């Protein structure tokens, strides 16, 4: 193999596979594994940690075709530090070393047996397929996955539920204490519905890759026990979490005593201040009293004292006092978009939080027992 | 006590004491201890972790004099988050709570017994005293302390040696593998010489505090077993490390086979690239060959391979090959200032590194055994 590459193209390609290439949780001892394949006028960079396989294509000149598998945690860092724009990769079939040169630098890089790499093959035919765009998919992921469980004992909730039928695409995440739902529409209806649970860590990696400056079409293909996500030069295969995701529609409260409209920034500031001292206590409990067109917040820490704050609001319905975990409220407020948000509440019942005039994104949070 | 404070002034004052107030290594159980004293038209904020005592004065209106001692790790964060400019502190003598209000926020903050705080008293008379300015002192600290030992077994080397006699002020740090010396001049000679070893962590804290935008006069006073450093509104007392600092002048090499002048940025780039792969190996050994107006760098890692780079230089003297710890060389290069630096070398002997035309800052580094 002999390749002539531009540093910038190579860096971009390595960046795409970097997280997966460096995942230490993969099955084989191929940590930091990067697979490079140059055939048919195409230079591919791949990584595969068995939970996720990823590949990308980079521009470059193939003087001699070939492939190589490098397991070196420092390869990406070293290439980023090369001061020259032109980088050459040479790997002779008779030698296990990949020779990387750029400027005055020469790196004789040890390689693994290329056939030991579990290549990421593109499968175009699945049992169902859809097209959306990178902005929509990124928004679905980023608006919900913060609510996924991190606790291994709730395996199914460590992923987000991707539910696609007709022209409806939605993502749902919950750790049983809080729930986030984000809905969007497809331009073309999907033929066979798709309902899968994707691990939140893999969704985070997909979100990191999705282009936002110049949106791209994203194709999602479902194949037995995984889904493939394709956009631009990037192809990702991701494992699924098996099991049934519970009926989330049933969890969304519909019966309320009061609705509160409040300025998001002002409310966020008050919740953040009130959490500062309580976050060290067991559950970061903040007590909210809705009364008289005001929200009164109160938290206490057994050693450090009591914090109170007050925020003006527009309120319809009955006065009431209810407690929530401050961290959950802050998480939700970060994911609302409008200046004004709506809180719908009922005594000792889950609260529904949305932007004031938008219901494509819903958040539900369970109260804590009042002290 | 009743104080009216501006948020910005209060934040600045709390920032000065923050590190010391939050030091968990202090003797008493007064972690995060902040002492506030308002008497004689002066509002003082203090912290004291026994290795270092610090106090500062902030502007504000004293409606009622008093003092309080707060041990709350979140006080600084909470005050930073107050959205209002005007903050009030009220502490009644009959109540242990300090009431902090700002905007709609009210914090009933638990306090400790004020008499339990070990107050930082200003001592103006020491056995010797000098004046310098904040830029010079900061430069002395920042140019040298990176070379201090971090290994507890070399207690004396965990500090930097401040050596002041006549109009000479210098700071010296070594971990026995490398040595850094920075020299400067005083405007007025010191009467009694001052030779003390100050713990590097305390020097780092002093450096953090020293103003650079608007340089200030710094007064250093030596009192038996500590020194006091005073500038602007800040007064710091720092512990010393007892023991004799060895004669560092003797360690500076004077006999060389070659002198190399090299561009600092280009050389730094090559050393950084060559260290990437070797840094994971036991000693980050880089092999330097000086020959033919070039520096050839080489490092190897048993698993990952061999990296080589070449840098042009101007060289007088004999060819030679010598190995150093790459991290030590990078540390030194970061602390050189000029575009061109001088390396003076001799086979199997310590190397002397300085800026090309400046000798107020010297670095010595011991070679590693050539492989």
């Amino acid at each position: 193999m002999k390749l002539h590459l531009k540093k910038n193209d190579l860096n971009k390609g390595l960046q795409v596979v970097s997280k997966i290439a460096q995942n230490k949780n993969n099955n084989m001892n191929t940590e930091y594994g990067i697979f490079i394949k140059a055939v048919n006028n195409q230079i591919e960079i791949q990584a595969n940690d068995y939970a996720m396989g990823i590949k990308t294509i980079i521009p470059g000149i193939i003087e001699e075709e070939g492939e190589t598998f490098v397991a070196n945690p420092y390869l990406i860092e070293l290439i980023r530090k090369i001061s020259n724009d032109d980088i050459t990769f040479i790997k002779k079939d008779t030698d296990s070393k990949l020779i990387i040169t750029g400027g005055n630098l020469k790196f004789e890089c040890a390689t693994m047996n290329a056939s030991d790499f579990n290549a990421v093959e593109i499968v175009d035919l699945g049992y169902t397929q859809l097209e959306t765009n990178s902005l929509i998919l990124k928004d679905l992921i980023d608006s919900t996955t913060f609510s996924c469980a991190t606790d291994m004992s709730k395996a199914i909730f460590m992923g987000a539920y991707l539910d696609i039928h007709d022209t409806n695409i939605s993502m749902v995440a919950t750790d049983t204490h809080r729930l986030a739902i984000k809905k969007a529409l497809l331009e073309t209806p999907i033929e066979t519905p798709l309902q899968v649970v994707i691990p939140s860590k893999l969704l985070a990696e997909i979100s990191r890759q999705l282009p936002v400056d110049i949106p791209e079409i994203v194709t999602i293909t479902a194949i037995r026990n995984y889904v493939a996500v394709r956009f631009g030069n990037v192809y990702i295969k991701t494992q699924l979490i098996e099991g049934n995701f519970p009926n989330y529609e049933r969890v969304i409260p519909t019966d309320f005593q009061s609705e509160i409209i409040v300025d998001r920034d002002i409310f966020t500031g008050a919740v953040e201040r009130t959490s500062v001292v309580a976050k060290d206590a067991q559950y970061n409990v903040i007590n909210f009293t809705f009364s008289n067109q005001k929200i009164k917040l109160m938290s206490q820490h057994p050693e450090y004292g009591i914090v109170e704050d007050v925020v003006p609001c527009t309120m319809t319905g009955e006065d009431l006092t209810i407690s929530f975990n401050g961290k959950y409220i802050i998480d939700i407020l970060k994911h609302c978009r409008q200046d004004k948000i709506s809180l719908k509440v009922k005594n000792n019942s889950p609260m529904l939080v949305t932007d004031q005039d938008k219901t494509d994104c819903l958040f539900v949070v369970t109260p804590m027992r009042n002290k």
Side-chain angles (χ1 to χ4, degrees), chain A:
Chain A
M1 183 177 78
K2 187 167 186 183
L3 311 178
H4 301 279
L5 306 165
K6 290 288 174 194
K7 183 187 164 188
N8 198 25
D9 298 329
L10 180 56
N11 272 339
K12 271 191 200 162
L14 291 172
Q15 205 47 48
V16 169
V17 303
S18 63
K19 281 248 173 143
I20 304 304
Q22 297 189 3
N23 192 347
K24 291 183 185 175
N25 296 325
N26 55 19
N27 301 322
M28 311 254 298
N29 263 338
T30 53
E31 287 126 60
Y32 320 107
I34 293 171
F35 180 70
I36 300 165
K37 185 178 171 183
V39 287
N40 304 329
N41 281 318
Q42 186 163 298
I43 304 170
E44 267 184 20
I45 301 184
Q46 301 193 10
N48 195 345
D49 72 355
Y50 298 85
M52 181 177 266
I54 189 162
K55 70 169 153 188
T56 188
I57 294 161
I58 61 165
I61 296 165
I62 304 175
E63 191 176 318
E64 194 184 305
E65 292 190 338
E67 59 185 29
T68 186
F69 178 23
V70 179
N72 182 328
Y74 305 116
L75 180 69
I76 295 176
E77 183 184 349
L78 183 61
I79 286 174
R80 204 171 34 222
K81 288 197 161 133
I82 291 180
S83 56
N84 205 279
D85 269 348
D86 296 299
I87 295 176
T88 309
F89 276 38
I90 300 175
K91 165 91 178 52
K92 291 186 185 143
D93 292 340
T94 52
D95 187 358
S96 74
K97 289 194 198 84
L98 167 69
I99 311 292
I100 299 173
T101 53
N104 287 328
L105 177 106
K106 179 182 171 197
F107 178 29
E108 292 185 16
C109 178
T111 67
M112 319 271 286
N113 201 330
S115 62
D116 284 348
F117 182 77
N118 181 26
V120 181
E121 301 301 345
I122 291 182
V123 178
D124 282 323
L125 269 177
Y127 67 81
T128 190
Q129 194 172 54
L130 69 134
E131 268 190 8
T132 178
N133 81 52
S134 54
L135 292 180
I136 290 176
L137 183 58
K138 192 174 169 60
D139 202 12
L140 287 166
I141 297 172
D142 295 351
S143 300
T144 55
T145 46
F146 72 92
S147 292
C148 286
T150 48
D151 175 358
M152 292 286 200
S153 71
K154 301 173 185 167
I156 191 82
F157 297 129
M158 291 182 75
Y161 181 57
L162 179 63
D163 180 6
I164 309 172
H165 54 271
D166 306 321
T167 52
N168 301 299
I169 177 166
S170 59
M171 197 165 270
V172 184
T174 179
D175 62 3
T176 74
H177 302 297
R178 52 183 171 164
L179 173 83
I181 304 176
K182 171 76 186 177
K183 297 176 179 182
L185 289 173
L186 300 176
E187 287 188 14
T188 317
I190 191 167
E191 281 188 26
T192 310
L194 173 63
Q195 268 123 7
V196 289
V197 180
I198 305 173
S200 66
K201 282 189 184 171
L202 306 187
L203 287 170
E205 177 58 14
I206 292 173
S207 167
R208 188 178 77 87
Q209 307 267 355
L210 286 167
V212 285
D213 296 339
I214 303 163
E216 292 208 58
I217 289 176
V218 178
T219 309
I220 301 177
T221 309
I223 305 133
R224 281 182 304 125
N225 56 346
Y226 63 91
V227 292
V229 180
R230 198 173 185 170
F231 49 90
N233 278 329
V234 178
Y235 181 83
I236 299 174
K237 278 168 80 165
T238 164
Q239 244 183 12
L240 302 174
I241 299 178
E242 286 180 40
N244 289 317
F245 201 85
N247 180 349
Y248 61 91
E249 299 278 4
R250 245 183 31 201
V251 182
I252 305 169
T254 51
D255 177 28
F256 307 103
Q257 288 173 283
S258 317
E259 180 176 4
I260 295 99
I261 303 292
V262 64
D263 183 281
R264 183 162 59 94
D265 283 349
I266 294 176
F267 187 49
T268 303
V271 178
E272 281 180 350
R273 283 188 292 276
T274 319
S275 323
V276 168
V277 174
K279 73 184 172 196
D280 194 50
Q282 205 177 353
Y283 290 116
N284 191 359
V285 182
I286 299 183
N287 203 274
F288 297 83
T289 299
F290 305 103
S291 170
N292 203 16
Q293 309 297 317
K294 277 191 207 115
I295 307 172
K296 195 168 157 190
L297 301 87
M298 190 274 288
S299 73
Q300 51 190 316
H301 185 283
E303 275 178 57
Y304 302 131
I306 300 169
V307 184
E308 290 173 357
D309 214 318
V310 179
V311 173
C313 69
T314 308
M315 182 177 163
T316 51
E318 300 163 36
D319 291 1
L320 71 89
T321 295
I322 191 164
S323 296
F324 295 102
N325 181 322
K327 181 185 180 311
Y328 292 171
I329 304 296
I330 292 171
D331 280 349
I332 289 172
L333 292 171
K334 276 185 198 154
H335 290 87
C336 290
R337 299 288 165 83
Q338 294 190 331
D339 291 345
K340 299 273 185 187
I341 58 159
S342 151
L343 313 173
K344 288 181 177 156
V345 287
K346 184 182 170 187
N347 248 324
N348 295 315
S349 300
M351 172 166 72
L352 179 68
V353 184
T354 59
D355 283 316
Q356 183 180 12
D357 315 312
K358 269 173 64 199
T359 51
D360 60 334
C361 203
L362 301 177
F363 304 103
V364 179
V365 53
T366 313
M368 311 190 73
R369 219 164 287 161
N370 271 318
K371 283 190 182 169

